Amino acid sequence: MSVLTVRGGVFRRLTCAAGLCALLFATAGSIAHAADEPDLIFRRSTVFKWLSPNDKLGTYGIDDPDVEGVACHFTVPEKGGFKGWLGLAEEVSDISLACRQVGPIRFKAKFEQGDDMFRQRRSLLFKKMQIVRGCDVKRNVLVYMVYSDRIIEGSPKNSTSSVPIMPWGANDSVQKCADYVTN
């Protein structure tokens, strides 16, 4: 809030910049929801811009916080330009996903079908990307889906990846995901 003093009177006004900064700081801590921040694997420029950052594709890796032995990698477009640099650009919904077993699978907790595994903002206010997890009980397969949504209208763009639960080593017993799904 800025304060102006004019001839003994005090006028208060909330500047647009102060309101915007307060909003950015309030939402900065809530980027990751279900899992820790993803690890940046690499970025590649897709559109060159002369005076501002390029548009890029960023590839990230993240471990499932509730299922030990599963990692997912996703690629997201990242807007460049001055809006992207300031964090004001709305990111597009084209997200690819691949999840794999990277060690013995151990369930840390029960989960519901479609629970969030990871959530990240894709715009200043209304758009977010979510990776959700489910269990194909019949096939003993973990199923992950990534999609983006907005409060007003969602996006039909999505990607799905499956992780069959397999033994990892000679003495590994295979857990059943059906034993950890709540209804």
Side-chain angles (χ1 to χ4, degrees):
M1 185 175 299
S2 62
V3 179
L4 295 173
T5 305
V6 179
R7 295 185 187 187
V10 176
F11 299 98
R12 295 179 184 204
R13 64 184 170 114
L14 180 63
T15 63
C16 181
L20 181 60
C21 287
L23 182 61
L24 287 173
F25 287 121
T27 59
S30 63
I31 292 176
H33 177 262
D36 292 332
E37 286 295 313
D39 302 318
L40 175 64
I41 308 300
F42 63 89
R43 283 191 177 108
R44 293 293 294 198
S45 292
T46 58
V47 174
F48 176 76
K49 299 189 183 274
W50 281 99
L51 299 175
S52 61
N54 294 343
D55 289 352
K56 297 178 176 77
L57 290 173
T59 299
Y60 296 86
I62 191 160
D63 296 315
D64 188 322
D66 294 330
V67 183
E68 185 179 315
V70 175
C72 293
H73 294 88
F74 60 92
T75 299
V76 293
E78 298 173 346
K79 285 282 191 186
F82 291 112
K83 280 186 171 181
W85 181 62
L86 294 171
L88 302 175
E90 181 173 325
E91 301 289 352
V92 296
S93 299
D94 301 323
I95 306 161
S96 65
L97 176 71
C99 299
R100 300 291 183 266
Q101 182 175 353
V102 295
I105 292 182
R106 301 282 181 262
F107 293 92
K108 297 178 184 176
K110 291 194 177 257
F111 61 91
E112 291 185 26
Q113 296 282 30
D115 266 357
D116 282 353
M117 190 271 275
F118 177 73
R119 181 183 299 204
Q120 183 179 54
R121 291 190 184 281
R122 298 291 290 156
S123 72
L124 184 61
L125 294 175
F126 301 115
K127 194 174 191 178
K128 62 186 173 296
M129 174 192 81
Q130 298 176 81
I131 300 175
V132 296
R133 171 195 333 101
C135 168
D136 179 343
V137 173
K138 180 178 176 182
R139 295 167 187 83
N140 197 31
V141 172
L142 290 166
V143 180
Y144 294 84
M145 178 182 64
V146 64
Y147 68 99
S148 65
D149 64 358
R150 286 197 294 201
I151 292 175
I152 309 287
E153 62 182 58
S155 170
K157 296 179 180 180
N158 61 77
S159 182
T160 303
S161 186
S162 300
V163 179
I165 301 173
M166 305 295 286
W168 195 270
N171 297 328
D172 186 32
S173 62
V174 176
Q175 293 188 318
K176 302 281 185 205
C177 63
D179 296 338
Y180 294 89
V181 175
T182 61
N183 292 332

